[in-house]
Amino acid sequence: MGYGGWAPDARADESTRFGTDAFYASLGRAFVTMCAIVPFLFLVEAIDVALGPGTLDLAGGIIPRSAEGIDGILFSPFLHDGWEHLYGNAIPLILLGTFALAGGVRRFIWSTVLIIGVSGVGVWFIGDPRTVVVGASGVIFGWLGLIFARGLVERSWWHFAVAGFIGLLYWYQLFNVLPTDQRISWQGHLLGLVGGVLAAIIFRRKA
């Protein structure tokens, strides 16, 4: 990593150039990887149901401003409040994760770690202490922010196009970054988005 961003090698640069064979190969590998990762979340939910619905959520969710819930910063993205919650997150995880991962494995890993950290720590500090927060929504909003911000900082029009397309598909969900009376953690969504923008800046490719 060089000053001001990640220095790409020739192969990495080629794989991020829209229309090249390396680009499509990278996209295909990323899609297969995400399709393999998401079933793991279904396995975790199946274990939770087998133990008694909500057992893992209580054990591994974020409980704001509680020492008992601080480990949820790490574990909560892998837990969901029932099958409907998980189904709602599965497709956005695959779509956004594919395009985020196509930009490079190392950048994807470090960006996701930063997103989870910003979203999780933020929820622990400012979330409602009467709640247990679980779900991958913070990561989803983080990847959306990451892809959109990459379009800006790396001058990549295809990142803009992807973020815009997914934004149109799920436009009604974008309002979930604002305070609401619904049973959702808008703080996690908003801070995940912020984490994604920060990741795009910190782990950007040098020109």
Side-chain angles (χ1 to χ4, degrees), residues 38-143:
V38 169
F40 171 73
L41 302 181
F42 282 86
L43 175 61
V44 171
E45 184 60 26
I47 293 172
D48 182 46
V49 171
L51 293 174
T55 300
L56 292 182
D57 297 347
L58 289 173
I62 299 173
I63 304 174
R65 298 190 291 284
S66 167
E68 293 181 359
I70 199 168
D71 58 348
I73 294 171
L74 175 63
F75 297 117
S76 63
F78 303 99
L79 304 169
H80 287 81
D81 184 23
W83 294 111
E84 185 177 352
H85 187 200
L86 178 53
Y87 288 136
N89 281 345
I91 293 178
L93 278 170
I94 292 174
L95 288 176
L96 288 164
T98 293
F99 288 101
L101 178 55
V105 175
R106 279 198 309 159
R107 290 208 302 167
F108 173 79
I109 292 172
W110 285 112
S111 295
T112 303
V113 168
L114 180 60
I115 289 166
I116 290 174
V118 171
S119 177
V121 171
V123 166
W124 190 84
F125 273 108
I126 68 174
D128 185 343
R130 299 167 297 177
T131 62
V132 178
V133 180
V134 295
S137 299
V139 174
I140 291 171
F141 276 88
W143 285 343

Side-chain angles (χ1 to χ4, degrees), residues 8 28 51 59 71 81 84 91 96 112 116 125 128-129 141 150 152 155 158 165-166 171 173-174 177 185 191-192:
L51 293 174
D71 58 348
D81 184 23
E84 185 177 352
I91 293 178
L96 288 164
T112 303
I116 290 174
F125 273 108
D128 185 343
F141 276 88
R150 276 182 182 172
L152 288 173
R155 298 180 178 87
W158 76 264
F165 174 69
I166 295 176
W171 62 269
Q173 295 283 5
L174 298 179
V177 301
S185 174
L191 291 165

